Amino acid sequence: MSNTLYDLLEVSQTASPSAISESYKRLYAGCAEQSAGGDEAATNRLIALREAFNTLSRPEKRKAYDL
């Protein structure tokens, strides 16, 4: 399991907002097909990816997370 939100999104802590967005879209697309097929683990990963993206894509939330 991933240690940080950055690990989950497969980006570094210095990643730009566009790099975070691109990684999220790539990872989400890969899990979406599996989730649609009934894979519960993929569904849980989609939820985790959304939460990570929600935190890291908003400057104020990212700053608070990094503290």
Side-chain angles (χ1 to χ4, degrees), residues 17-28:
S18 63
I20 290 171
S21 179
E22 289 172 20
S23 184
Y24 168 72
K25 289 175 185 176
R26 177 180 51 82
L27 294 168
Y28 193 89

Side-chain angles (χ1 to χ4, degrees), residues 5-28:
L5 298 181
Y6 294 103
D7 293 337
L8 183 63
L9 290 176
E10 299 177 1
V11 296
S12 71
Q13 284 188 302
T14 59
S16 68
S18 63
I20 290 171
S21 179
E22 289 172 20
S23 184
Y24 168 72
K25 289 175 185 176
R26 177 180 51 82
L27 294 168
Y28 193 89

Side-chain angles (χ1 to χ4, degrees), residues 26-54:
R26 177 180 51 82
L27 294 168
Y28 193 89
C31 288
E33 289 182 31
Q34 295 172 347
S35 177
D39 185 339
E40 188 175 336
T43 301
N44 291 335
R45 182 156 166 84
L46 286 177
I47 293 167
L49 287 170
R50 269 188 243 129
E51 291 174 2
F53 179 71
N54 185 38

